[in-house]
Amino acid sequence: MSPPVAPPGWSRWLVPPAALSVHLSIGQAYAWSVFKPPLESALDLSGTQSALPFQLAIVMLGLSAAFGGTLVERNGPRWAMTVALVCFSSGFLISALGAATEQYWLIVLGYGFVGGIGLGIGYISPVSTLIKWFPDRPGMATGIAIMGFGGGALIASPWSAQMLESFGADSSGIALAFLVHGMSYAVFMTLGVLLVRVPRTVQAATATADGPASVTGVQVSARSAVRTPQFWCLWVVLCMNVTAGIGILEKAAPMITDFFADTSTTVSATAAAGFVALLSAANMAGRIGWSSTSDLIGRKNIYRLYLGVGALMYALIALFGDSSKPLFILCALVILSFYGGGFATIPAYLKDLFGTYQVGAIHGRLLTAWSTAGVLGPLIVNWIADRQEEAGKHGSDLYSLSLFIMIGLLAVGFVANELVRPVDARHHVPAPKEAVDVAARQQPESA
């Protein structure tokens, strides 16, 4: 499947909607918690068991993005989106069979393993294409697409809940909900497959003024990038930022309930659910807002904001969070906006350092930091909370130690960001003189 080349007059503004159709679909992963209680009841599972499909999906996201990144670069966005469509939708269909037959291992295999591959390939599928179309605003372009992953749960969560209410929360109802998900997402993701295009090259004299520039400047291959200290500094930056954000996201409802359990302003289950929805909105808004801001103030500066101010927000929650509900909510919203912004800004940061040559493959390898953080963040918060509860503590005391650990992790990320420097010339891809001459004369066309 050859990459589809944009015809003359094709508008680059059609590419972000193509990317959004994929990211809004695979963003359903953040709504997995809707299926946890019905699965636990229908299949007699523990909370740890019902979380396994989601955990495996996040691990497979990082691994498939890392190992499939080069294939995505080689075969183009349409191939990648097709693979993502097949795997993600098939994962739901396999899960539907597992629920119908009450074979939980099929749900783990389908949603976690097969669907997780679709998550990883789908997540990185539009990145390098968007950066090539929008070299003038790479943070905004990738932010638009990756915003969809953060916002997918805002659609999937109420939709899934309504289906379970209509079909029933038993095994057959869950199976039917999985089936509808798989078929619906296949149709929606097909829109992206059909719409996506890569830029065509024309003579500079006929190119439009606002079109994307040609691939020039520093270019580093994926194989060389992972051998640079810059890559591993950014790996630490992303891992620390995601660990801190997901620590709140995964435990949001019980955390706000516990924080104010011993006060006169207790938090109801309905209010806690509303808090989770607010965090999802902040996550989504941060992906487009902060990544677009990075185009104005620079990538290193925006990560100074994420990591430095993020640590301050955690300190305020740890010290004063249980005395002021508005302060707790505001700080949590800021932290989650930084969490989303970190995801959306990292492709542009990679482009600045390594060029556009294999930025999708490099991004895929960097997402192993997400897999690590997806395990590390919830483990820190949940394990410490369990130990504190066994020690007889309650309320905000369950989370104090976790919050200070998160501050320390963000400080580590801040230092790693400060260590980022331009990539040494020995890692640059050598280009024949002819290729350089052609690149100097050409640029992709955009409407």
Side-chain angles (χ1 to χ4, degrees):
M1 185 181 293
S2 59
V5 179
W10 182 267
S11 173
R12 63 178 181 171
W13 292 101
L14 293 174
V15 181
L20 263 177
S21 72
V22 173
H23 274 247
L24 280 171
S25 298
I26 63 177
Q28 184 279 335
Y30 279 145
W32 173 254
S33 60
V34 174
F35 288 103
K36 280 171 62 67
L39 283 170
E40 291 167 14
S41 176
L43 303 182
D44 192 26
L45 304 173
S46 67
T48 301
Q49 289 174 318
S50 66
L52 185 57
F54 172 77
Q55 290 175 313
L56 180 58
I58 296 300
V59 170
M60 291 308 302
L61 185 158
L63 294 178
S64 61
F67 290 105
T70 302
L71 290 175
V72 172
E73 286 291 305
R74 182 182 304 144
N75 297 319
R78 176 168 287 178
W79 175 89
M81 289 181 178
T82 302
V83 171
L85 183 160
V86 171
C87 290
F88 189 66
S89 297
S90 296
F92 271 110
L93 300 183
I94 295 170
S95 297
L97 178 61
T101 59
E102 299 188 0
Q103 297 294 315
Y104 186 60
W105 69 271
L106 280 174
I107 299 177
V108 176
L109 173 67
Y111 190 92
F113 184 80
V114 178
I117 294 173
L119 284 178
I121 299 299
Y123 191 87
I124 64 173
S125 61
V127 169
S128 64
T129 302
L130 284 166
I131 287 176
K132 289 168 185 173
W133 275 108
F134 293 88
D136 51 335
R137 283 174 281 183
M140 180 212 68
T142 55
I144 290 174
I146 294 176
M147 173 184 68
F149 194 88
L154 294 178
I155 299 171
S157 183
W159 182 40
S160 300
Q162 182 59 50
M163 278 195 287
L164 290 171
E165 183 178 337
S166 301
F167 301 150
D170 57 0
S171 58
S172 61
I174 296 170
L176 189 54
F178 282 154
L179 179 64
V180 173
H181 271 296
M183 297 176 67
S184 299
Y185 284 134
V187 172
F188 194 56
M189 294 172 76
T190 298
L191 297 177
V193 172
L194 297 176
L195 192 60
V196 72
R197 297 288 188 277
V198 295
R200 65 191 296 264
T201 55
V202 296
Q203 295 299 325
T206 61
T208 59
D210 66 339
S214 58
V215 178
T216 58
V218 173
Q219 303 297 329
V220 182
S221 69
R223 177 176 295 184
S224 296
V226 297
R227 299 172 182 170
T228 65
Q230 288 83 356
F231 176 89
W232 292 106
C233 283
L234 289 189
W235 193 97
V236 171
V237 165
L238 183 63
C239 186
M240 298 301 102
N241 191 58
V242 173
T243 299
I246 209 168
I248 279 188
L249 186 62
E250 191 271 342
K251 195 79 169 176
M255 182 180 288
I256 192 171
T257 301
D258 290 336
F259 252 79
F260 298 97
D262 299 330
T263 69
S264 59
T265 56
T266 57
V267 178
S268 66
T270 302
F275 174 62
V276 174
L278 279 176
L279 293 183
S280 295
N283 180 8
M284 183 177 178
R287 292 174 186 245
I288 181 63
W290 293 124
S291 60
S292 297
T293 303
S294 76
D295 290 332
L296 303 175
I297 68 174
R299 254 55 84 170
K300 177 174 279 193
N301 286 333
I302 202 72
Y303 273 95
R304 285 168 174 155
L305 180 72
Y306 298 156
L307 300 161
V309 177
L312 176 62
M313 295 297 103
Y314 263 113
L316 289 175
I317 291 177
L319 297 174
F320 310 109
D322 60 348
S323 61
S324 172
K325 193 179 296 183
L327 176 66
F328 179 95
I329 294 173
L330 177 62
C331 291
L333 291 176
V334 172
I335 290 170
L336 262 294
S337 75
F338 291 162
Y339 169 81
F343 277 122
T345 310
I346 204 68
Y349 208 161
L350 292 171
K351 176 257 182 187
D352 293 346
L353 290 170
F354 302 110
T356 60
Y357 172 51
Q358 289 189 333
V359 68
I362 299 169
H363 183 222
R365 285 159 170 78
L366 194 77
L367 288 181
T368 54
W370 188 0
S371 296
T372 303
V375 174
L376 188 60
L379 180 63
I380 290 172
V381 176
N382 288 292
W383 186 85
I384 291 177
D386 289 344
R387 300 291 81 77
Q388 299 290 67
E389 188 173 12
E390 291 174 1
K393 296 185 178 181
H394 52 85
S396 61
D397 290 338
L398 296 175
Y399 304 100
S400 298
L401 179 57
S402 298
L403 296 174
F404 285 113
I405 290 175
M406 295 303 177
I407 293 171
L409 294 177
L410 288 171
V412 171
F414 190 93
V415 171
N417 183 54
E418 293 302 309
L419 294 176
V420 173
R421 298 289 185 274
V423 177
D424 191 276
R426 62 192 174 90
H427 296 290
H428 297 180
V429 174
K433 183 178 185 302
E434 294 82 0
V436 174
D437 292 340
V438 170
R441 298 195 306 271
Q442 294 180 339
Q443 66 178 19
E445 181 183 25
S446 171

